[in-house]
């Protein structure tokens, strides 16, 4: 984890729970993920990256295909099912702007959104109200006198 990483609770399914419980039993230290050579030592910070680099060479894949790309994929996929602030929490980001850099909306997701919006009940199909609680939409340009009034109100 990063120095400033926030602690957070994330839900896991029964299968993941079983895997983590097995790893804890096999560990000879306080860490779940231990060194492949010595289970009394934590997994080194670059072990997985080194393994990914070897794998990329072996299967001749794109140099950017790595563990970090999985975060982008996960947050993009999860973004179709939740709000941006939940994604921010799950990712452990301090700033929503960081989360926004990880999410890459796909054309299909945008199409599904507009299809769902198209299936929503239209306002004109709703029950008619005698009075609106919203301000009426103003058409035309306000007069100079109205603009002066608005500017003076804004200075209060």
């Amino acid at each position: 984890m990063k120095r400033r990483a926030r602690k957070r609770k994330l839900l896991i399914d029964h299968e993941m729970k079983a895997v983590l419980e097995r790893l804890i039993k096999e560990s000879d230290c306080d860490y779940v993920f231990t060194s492949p050579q010595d289970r009394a030592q934590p997994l080194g910070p670059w072990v997985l990256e080194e393994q990914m680099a070897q794998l990329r060479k072996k299967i001749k894949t794109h140099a950017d295909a790595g563990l970090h790309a999985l975060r982008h994929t996960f947050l993009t996929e999860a973004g179709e099912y939740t709000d941006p602030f939940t994604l921010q929490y799950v990712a452990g980001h301090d700033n929503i702007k960081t989360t926004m850099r990880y999410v890459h909306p796909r054309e299909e997701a945008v199409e599904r959104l507009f299809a769902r919006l198209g299936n929503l009940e239209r306002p004109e199909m709703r029950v008619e109200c005698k009075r609106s609680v919203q301000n009426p939409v103003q058409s035309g340009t306000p007069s100079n006198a109205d603009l002066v009034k608005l500017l003076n109100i804004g200075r209060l």
Side-chain angles (χ1 to χ4, degrees):
M1 272 205 220
K2 294 180 182 179
R3 281 181 290 135
R4 293 187 31 191
R6 278 189 263 151
K7 290 184 179 182
R8 54 202 186 275
K9 285 186 179 180
L10 302 175
L11 299 177
I12 59 173
D13 62 13
H14 294 291
E15 187 178 356
M16 179 56 72
K17 181 182 178 201
V19 169
L20 291 172
E21 286 174 340
R22 181 181 52 79
L23 289 171
I24 289 169
K25 284 179 186 173
E26 292 174 1
S27 174
D28 293 332
C29 64
D30 292 336
Y31 295 91
V32 176
F33 302 104
T34 58
S35 168
Q37 292 80 22
D38 182 3
R39 293 195 182 276
Q41 295 296 317
L43 186 66
W46 298 106
V47 169
L48 296 177
E49 279 297 332
E50 290 167 4
Q51 290 175 349
M52 283 299 295
Q54 291 171 8
L55 181 62
R56 278 194 303 269
K57 285 180 187 174
K58 186 175 183 177
I59 63 173
K60 296 181 175 80
T61 186
H62 194 278
D64 290 339
L67 293 174
H68 197 74
L70 294 176
R71 286 178 60 86
H72 287 263
T73 302
F74 172 78
L75 291 173
T76 295
E77 294 280 336
E80 294 184 27
Y81 300 98
T82 191
D83 62 278
F85 301 104
T86 302
L87 285 179
Q88 177 187 0
Y89 176 83
V90 168
H93 295 148
D94 289 331
N95 191 318
I96 192 69
K97 289 182 179 181
T98 305
T99 308
M100 290 168 55
R101 288 195 302 260
Y102 278 80
V103 179
H104 312 285
R106 291 176 293 219
E107 189 175 331
E108 307 87 54
V110 174
E111 289 172 3
R112 280 195 307 272
L113 167 66
F114 281 96
R116 284 189 303 237
L117 291 174
N119 291 329
L120 291 177
E121 184 179 333
R122 303 260 187 252
E124 61 271 11
M125 298 169 76
R126 295 184 190 151
V127 177
E128 188 175 322
C129 296
K130 300 262 186 213
R131 292 174 47 209
S132 175
V133 294
Q134 297 179 343
N135 293 332
V137 176
Q138 297 180 1
S139 60
T141 309
S143 67
N144 286 341
D146 288 337
L147 286 172
V148 170
K149 285 180 191 175
L150 290 170
L151 289 172
N152 286 331
I153 290 171
R155 290 188 199 151
L156 295 177

